[in-house]
Amino acid sequence: MRSRSFEKVTQARSMAMQAATPAEMAKAENMLRDTLKSLFAVAEAYPELKANANFIQLQSQLHELENNIESARRYYNAVVRDYNTLIESFPSNLIASQFKFEKEEFFDSKPLKWRESL
């Protein structure tokens, strides 16, 4: 089960790295999160690993990283919202239509609480 969990994490990470659109990235990152949750669930079966200082530090760093990424996603979505509003508002919509500016996709991703799985 452990090796299969590591393989799933590797495959999900690869898919996340190859994603091109925000929707593909969100889907791939959700899959990566789910596989990481399953990896931490496997760690539950090993109390010595769960108590290991390096493993605790890894969990802490992943939690902090997830918070930073979520903040960046919120910023990205705010910029996309402003951009989409701007290209539909007068007078900027005249320029936007002339240069074929199109609406951008939001980055939709389910939030993950690392501590819920532990």
Side-chain angles (χ1 to χ4, degrees):
M1 171 132 183
R2 289 181 304 191
S3 64
R4 191 171 62 194
S5 294
F6 287 120
E7 288 172 11
K8 284 183 177 180
V9 169
T10 304
Q11 181 183 16
R13 182 181 177 275
S14 175
M15 287 179 61
M17 298 296 289
Q18 295 173 359
T21 67
E24 290 174 357
M25 284 186 241
K27 181 179 178 184
E29 287 185 16
N30 286 336
M31 186 180 0
L32 179 59
R33 287 185 198 162
D34 291 341
T35 57
L36 284 173
K37 279 180 78 171
S38 69
L39 181 64
F40 285 119
V42 168
E44 285 288 321
Y46 299 93
E48 66 278 358
L49 176 62
K50 191 176 172 189
N52 184 291
N54 290 334
F55 188 74
I56 293 169
Q57 182 182 9
L58 172 65
Q59 288 176 316
S60 175
Q61 288 175 346
L62 286 174
H63 180 68
E64 182 180 342
L65 182 60
E66 181 62 32
N67 287 340
N68 292 341
I69 291 171
E70 187 61 35
S71 177
R73 286 183 189 133
R74 283 193 305 269
Y75 176 77
Y76 172 83
N77 284 338
V79 170
V80 167
R81 181 197 63 227
D82 294 346
Y83 170 79
N84 288 344
T85 301
L86 193 60
I87 65 172
E88 293 179 344
S89 302
F90 184 81
S92 57
N93 65 340
L94 301 174
I95 303 294
S97 64
Q98 186 176 18
F99 288 101
K100 296 180 177 38
F101 291 173
E102 296 179 2
K103 290 179 95 173
E104 292 295 325
E105 293 180 47
F106 288 101
F107 192 101
D108 289 328
S109 178
K110 65 182 179 182
L112 175 70
K113 303 293 183 205
W114 286 104
R115 300 294 180 201
E116 287 177 5
S117 64
L118 304 175

